[in-house]
Amino acid sequence: MGRHKGIMSDHLKEEIAKELGFYDTVQKEGWGGIKARDAGNIVKRAVEMAQEKLANQQKN
């Protein structure tokens, strides 16, 4: 079974990892080095950001 291309850009994941404070682990060990909880927090934050963006678009 092949790996699927992620929906989130690497740039967005990196920015969120920096915001959440574990980007140094990503730099040292790659994405496989982060905890499952941290991966879940990336997804959670990305969803929050998308919801905020959608809410702002609906206001305008």
Side-chain angles (χ1 to χ4, degrees), residues 8-19:
M8 248 189 287
S9 71
D10 286 338
H11 178 73
L12 178 59
K13 289 189 288 190
E14 290 169 1
E15 289 301 314
I16 294 172
K18 288 175 186 176
E19 179 182 326

Side-chain angles (χ1 to χ4, degrees), residues 2-50:
R3 293 193 49 111
H4 296 280
K5 175 86 172 124
I7 294 174
M8 248 189 287
S9 71
D10 286 338
H11 178 73
L12 178 59
K13 289 189 288 190
E14 290 169 1
E15 289 301 314
I16 294 172
K18 288 175 186 176
E19 179 182 326
L20 297 177
F22 54 85
Y23 183 66
D24 57 330
T25 302
V26 173
Q27 285 183 308
K28 291 177 188 171
E29 302 176 32
W31 290 107
I34 66 172
K35 298 175 185 174
R37 177 175 288 181
D38 291 335
N41 286 336
I42 289 176
V43 173
K44 181 179 176 181
R45 181 64 183 126
V47 169
E48 289 171 351
M49 292 169 71

